[in-house]
Amino acid sequence: MKPQIVNSKMNKLIIKSRIVKLAIFVMSAFMIAMMMGNLYYRDRVYITDNGETKEMMTSETDVYAILRSAEYTLGAHDLVTYESVDESTAYITIYRSFNVNVTADGKTTVVPVIGGTVAEVLAKAGVEIGEHDTIDCEFTDTVYADMTITVTRISYELRTNETEIPFEVEYVDNSNMVIGTENVLVEGENGVKTYFVKETYQDGELKSQELALESVTKDPVNQVIERGTALGVPYAKMKNPESLKLVNGLPENYTRIVSGKATAYTAGYGAKTASGRLAEIGTVAVNPNVIPYGSELYIVAQDGSRVYGYAIAADTGTALMEGIIAVDLYFGNSAEHFGDSCDWGAVYADIYVLSEGSGR
């Protein structure tokens, strides 16, 4: 029986010895681990993610290793900050990124951010705002997840449009021309009026138009036409035919009418009249007691078939003083105009006294 007892004691001693050795080994390993920093959790870390804070102990010194060990997953645009307040305490904050949509120029750009203002997001998206462009929010607004910033491009164009200004027609009476005849003195030209229209575009689409200015850029040139007012082509033509107003071929204004036979005569070169005037086409012989020298006259055949025209009373003669004829019309020098005087012959005419002469 003793060997059994001895053997049992020996077995207990052996087992106890093994336990002690194992404990010593474990303690040694623990001490080594402590010295290596693997098992000694010497740092306290506070991790904040989306406003939720978690506390943990770690022996890691790398921020991302700490987050991996705590099973935090980071996005490509997330931001992590690390702050150590003392040798054993640190704070890690995770700022999660979110998307902001920027719509401009016909496309939408997704901008990942962790915060900021509308102005900062636009800058990050590379979208510049023109002088007249608008956005649907304020530049200083704080952005948020899935926010959409819409940029509207505003542009203005000044368009010109031209229209013609029709010319007008001016008529000038000409007592040297026959009724029904006309002559264009000045060709008419249309003018130009320019309209300046302000057009407003939103994102390239025309939204409104308004007249900004209208201006006559070219004045029209009126057409000037002279038209005849005489019953026939006057033999004695006026230098300023528009100065004599004829109505139906006869003077509108006169002092009196002297009617009688009108004859024609010619004279040599340089001939003078009884009043001292040079004899020329447009000077006529009268009875100065009836029609004083210097009187302005308009002479036309009573039947309207012939028109001597404007004349000055400047000469006289026996037949005139005796009352046989009322007026003798000078047709020019004999060498050139004798035939003209013969063609006139003698006709009954009306002598319109336009103004009374002074006798000279």
Side-chain angles (χ1 to χ4, degrees), residues 161-227:
N161 183 33
E162 294 183 345
T163 59
E164 284 190 342
I165 304 174
F167 64 81
E168 296 181 355
V169 179
E170 297 179 6
Y171 289 96
V172 177
D173 289 341
N174 188 330
S175 60
N176 288 339
M177 296 170 56
V178 179
I179 294 173
T181 60
E182 293 183 348
N183 179 47
V184 178
L185 298 177
V186 179
E187 292 289 350
E189 293 183 17
N190 289 332
V192 177
K193 178 178 282 189
T194 302
Y195 298 91
F196 298 88
V197 180
K198 181 181 180 182
E199 298 181 335
T200 302
Y201 291 85
Q202 291 184 6
D203 291 329
E205 182 180 352
L206 179 62
K207 289 297 183 181
S208 66
Q209 294 177 308
E210 62 176 306
L211 180 63
L213 178 69
E214 61 177 85
S215 175
V216 176
T217 50
K218 179 184 177 184
D219 291 319
V221 177
N222 289 344
Q223 186 177 59
V224 181
I225 299 176
E226 60 178 354
R227 57 188 175 185

Side-chain angles (χ1 to χ4, degrees), residues 98-100 116 142-148:
F98 54 86
N99 291 333
V100 175
T142 300
V143 296
Y144 52 84
D146 298 322
M147 178 182 185
T148 297

